Structure formats: C-alpha cells, structure tokens
Amino acid sequence: MKHFISLITLLAVSIGVSGSSPQVDWSKHQWQAPGPHDSRGPCPGMNSLANHGFLPRNGSNITIPIVLDAVLQGFNFQPILLLRSVIKMALLATDNTDNFALEELALHGVLEHDASFSRNDIAIGDNIHFNETVFQTLKNSNPGVDYYNITSAAWVLEQRMAEDTIVNPNLTNTEKEFTIRLTESGFYLGLIGNITTGVAPKNYVQILFEEERLPIAEGWRPSDVPITEDNFPALVAKIKAATNWAPSGPIPEGDISLVPVVSGAGVPI
Ligand code: HEM
Ligand SMILES: *[C@@H]1O[C@H](CO)[C@@H](O)[C@H](O)[C@H]1NC(C)=O
Ligand SMILES: *[C@@H]1O[C@H](CO)[C@@H](O)[C@H](O)[C@H]1NC(C)=O
Ligand SMILES: *[C@@H]1O[C@H](CO)[C@@H](O)[C@H](O)[C@H]1NC(C)=O
Ligand SMILES: *[C@@H]1O[C@H](CO)[C@@H](O)[C@H](O)[C@H]1NC(C)=O
Ligand SMILES: *[C@@H]1O[C@H](CO)[C@@H](O)[C@H](O)[C@H]1NC(C)=O
Ligand SMILES: *[C@@H]1O[C@H](CO)[C@@H](O)[C@H](O)[C@H]1NC(C)=O
C-alpha cells in the first residue's frame, strides 16, 4: 500500500504565522553531551536540540507537539506544513503509537536515505553516526570563503551523489530522496544561516554537524526572522534550481512519499 503525504496542499494552505524569535533562557538550555543510554540518531538538528534540552535529553518518547515546540524555540521554525509532514513520517519509523526515539529515525526508507552529507549509506555500514570522512565534501565546499551558500549546497548534493554512486551502485535516488535531501540542505543553510539569503557561516554549520551543538558560544542565535511557509520553501526551491542533480528510478512500491500526488505540480515542497 502506498502512503502519500502530499505537500501539494502546501500551495493552498497558509497558516499565517508571524512574530519574532521566542525568548530562550539559554542558561536552561546549555549543551550537554549525551549519556550512554540516551538515544541519538542520524539527524544533526534533532540531536543538537536534545543536547540542549529542547527535546528530552534522553532522546526518547518524543511526540509531534514536543518536536514542534523544540524547533520553534531552538530555530524559530514555525509549524509549517512541511515540518508537520516530516514529523508525521518520523512516527512511521517506530512501533510506538505516538512517540519515537531519535535512533529510530535511522530506519532506512522512511526518512533515512542514501547519499547523506555526514553519514554512510546503510548498505555500507553505519547510517546513524557522524562520519568525518563522509562530511569532507560538504565541509570543504565553497573554498576560499567562510560561508556556505545556495551554490555550494547545490554542488554538495551533486557531488555526494557522484561519490556515493561509486561506493554504493545500488543506492536509491528517487524523487522522494531528492526532496528530503533538498530540505536538509535548506535546514543547514536557512536555520543555521540566513533564511532569506541562504548564506550560512561555515564554523556554525560545522559545529552543528561535528559537535551536535548550537553555536551559541560563537555568537549564533535562532533566526530573528521566523522560518515560515513563505521563506523556507522558497529557499529550498532556490537550491533545487541551482543543482543539476536529479532523481533517478521510480519510487518503490510501498514506500512513503513526500512527493505531490498531482503530477506536473512543479516544486514538490
Ligand atoms: C523536525 C523534525 C526533523 C526530523 C524528523 C528529522 C529527521 C532527519 C533524518 C531521519 C535525517 C537522516 C537523513 C539521512 O541522512 O539519511 C535527517 C538529516 C538531517 N537533518 Fe533532520 N530532521 C528534523 C529536523 C531537522 C532540523 C530542525 C534540522 C536543523 C538544522 C535538521 C538538519 C538535518 C540535516 C542537515 C540532515 C542531513 C544530515 C546528513 O545528510 O548527513 N533536521 N533529519
Ligand atoms: C525520557 O525523558 C522524558 C522527558 O523527561 C520522559 O518523559 C521519558 O519517560 C524518558 N524516557 C525514557 C525511556 O527514559
Ligand atoms: C518511552 O520510550 C521507551 C523507550 O523507547 C518505551 O519503551 C516506552 O514505551 C515509551 N513510553 C511511552 C509512554 O510511550
Ligand atoms: C567513515 O566512512 C568511511 C568512508 O565510507 C569509512 O571508510 C570509515 O570506515 C568510516 N568510519 C567509521 C568510524 O565508521
Ligand atoms: C556562493 O559563494 C561563491 C563563493 O563566494 C560565489 O562564487 C557564488 O556566486 C555564491 N552563490 C550565490 C548564490 O550567491
Ligand atoms: C547490488 O544489487 C545486486 C542485485 O540485488 C547485488 O547482486 C549486488 O551485490 C549489489 N551490489 C552492492 C555493491 O551492494
Ligand atoms: C539576512 O540577510 C539580509 C540581507 O543581507 C539581512 O537584511 C537580514 O537581516 C539577514 N537576516 C537574518 C535573519 O540574519
């Protein structure tokens, strides 16, 4: 059975959210390394939110409202349709009714996919933990300047696909993975960097990936401009327009899709 979570309704639905950055008491949200029994997974954003106590530090029993509140506080990310859909999909990676643990996000084929920026493919081995070798491509992108941007993010998407095709010729790269990887690029550019310009300081992005920490001590703060139905999909569309990377192969039967059901609908986000 196919489960389609259509984002095409995004074009019709507007939540009309506005406002400035929520006030965060950072003394209550200091970074703390996870303990041996805490659950962490393949997402540097969610792991960081847990390491700062916006999500439960144990990384377990996470519900949709808990995530929506955590990303609002930590990233000024409003509960837009794309975000709500991603979290709904997260629940499909667990047997629990209404909550998940961060490590469960690594269930391949739900949200987890091949050709990540900082994790290996499941066919190669560890698809959960940060891997510095895999991360080199993104890390060294946009040489000569101290920021990543739309051009470099678009290149990283292509480059990781090219590298990964060599080590894992069986990798999956359909419209679904295409959409998710574009969204993740939007996360590191727009939530860590500037949501309008898509320019993100390299050191901030590297701290998110390498330390799973929000770079508060280095001067980063959640975006003053709320992340909304307008600016986030617009940034993702710009990254999409800047890349020659394209999906290949059909979406497997039984898979879960972020792709609109209506064909010819344009940008799938
Ligand atoms: C809100 C709910 C979220 C869920 C359920 C989620 C889930 C995931 C999952 C499952 C992956 C693994 C994809 C893969 O590499 O195979 C991932 C990757 C990623 N996530 Fe999240 N994420 C969420 C929010 C965020 C946020 C707020 C950020 C903010 C920075 C973020 C940043 C990223 C990035 C940059 C990647 C790519 C990692 C890589 O390819 O190495 N995510 N996310
Ligand atoms: C994780 O922490 C949350 C919030 O503190 C708590 O409700 C939950 O029971 C904990 N889960 C486990 C498995 O310890
Ligand atoms: C909390 O998480 C633990 C570990 O994943 C799980 O065993 C337990 O059933 C969860 N509690 C609830 C109320 O879902
Ligand atoms: C990191 O990834 C590289 C390239 O796939 C691999 O050779 C290496 O064994 C990985 N390291 C760890 C610790 O998994
Ligand atoms: C991204 O940065 C590079 C290096 O400065 C620059 O050549 C490129 O034009 C920038 N891209 C955008 C969209 O500004
Ligand atoms: C790719 O898939 C084919 C057919 O299932 C299999 O024979 C082959 O071993 C796989 N190759 C790799 C590198 O996993
Ligand atoms: C993003 O960059 C624009 C143009 O440089 C600037 O006006 C704006 O204040 C920046 N926004 C944020 C949230 O940093």
Side-chain angles (χ1 to χ4, degrees):
M1 194 219 242
K2 269 188 185 168
H3 299 261
F4 280 108
I5 296 171
S6 173
L7 293 183
I8 194 63
T9 43
L10 185 66
L11 302 173
V13 176
S14 171
I15 310 180
V17 281
S18 63
S20 58
S21 189
Q23 288 305 306
V24 175
D25 182 351
W26 290 100
S27 70
K28 295 200 172 80
H29 288 282
Q30 292 187 8
W31 185 86
Q32 219 174 284
H37 304 297
D38 295 334
S39 180
R40 293 293 183 269
C43 173
M46 299 285 277
N47 290 350
S48 299
L49 288 171
N51 290 341
H52 282 275
F54 290 110
L55 290 172
R57 290 188 187 270
N58 62 24
S60 290
N61 303 88
I62 296 172
T63 63
I64 292 181
I66 288 174
V67 180
L68 290 177
D69 185 59
V71 296
L72 183 64
Q73 287 197 59
F75 291 111
N76 202 6
F77 200 144
Q78 306 288 320
I80 68 175
L81 182 58
L82 173 69
L83 184 62
R84 300 199 313 270
S85 301
V86 167
I87 308 168
K88 273 190 184 184
M89 286 179 74
L91 282 175
L92 296 169
T94 178
D95 290 335
N96 299 349
T97 311
D98 65 352
N99 68 85
F100 63 94
L102 293 182
E103 189 172 347
E104 291 180 312
L105 292 174
L107 187 64
H108 184 64
V110 179
L111 285 164
E112 205 283 323
H113 54 76
D114 293 332
S116 298
F117 309 132
S118 68
R119 270 71 174 163
N120 274 304
D121 292 359
I122 191 159
I124 291 163
D126 185 349
N127 69 332
I128 299 180
H129 300 98
F130 174 80
N131 182 303
E132 187 72 43
T133 307
V134 176
F135 185 57
Q136 287 307 301
T137 304
L138 196 167
K139 186 173 184 173
N140 295 326
S141 67
N142 225 20
V145 294
D146 60 4
Y147 55 86
Y148 304 117
N149 65 12
I150 290 167
T151 315
S152 69
W155 177 84
V156 169
L157 287 166
E158 291 169 30
Q159 185 63 21
R160 279 292 301 132
M161 189 57 57
E163 294 163 0
D164 202 46
T165 303
I166 296 167
V167 292
N168 182 17
N170 289 345
L171 68 87
T172 306
N173 176 40
T174 71
E175 191 78 28
K176 177 188 169 187
E177 288 74 27
F178 184 75
T179 303
I180 296 174
R181 293 175 81 232
L182 282 169
T183 303
E184 291 162 359
S185 305
F187 283 157
Y188 80 78
L189 288 186
L191 272 51
I192 302 301
N194 183 310
I195 186 63
T196 311
T197 60
V199 170
K202 284 181 175 177
N203 63 327
Y204 291 177
V205 172
Q206 288 164 15
I207 287 167
L208 182 89
F209 274 94
E210 295 178 333
E211 300 177 41
E212 301 193 330
R213 176 166 74 74
L214 299 176
I216 295 298
E218 290 75 11
W220 179 88
R221 291 293 178 275
S223 177
D224 283 341
V225 177
I227 314 297
T228 64
E229 212 71 82
D230 293 326
N231 55 24
F232 190 76
L235 173 59
V236 173
K238 284 183 200 156
I239 303 167
K240 185 182 184 189
T243 183
N244 290 318
W245 166 59
S248 50
I251 299 172
E253 186 69 27
D255 222 348
I256 296 151
S257 182
L258 274 172
V259 180
V261 189
V262 181
S263 62
V267 181
I269 302 207

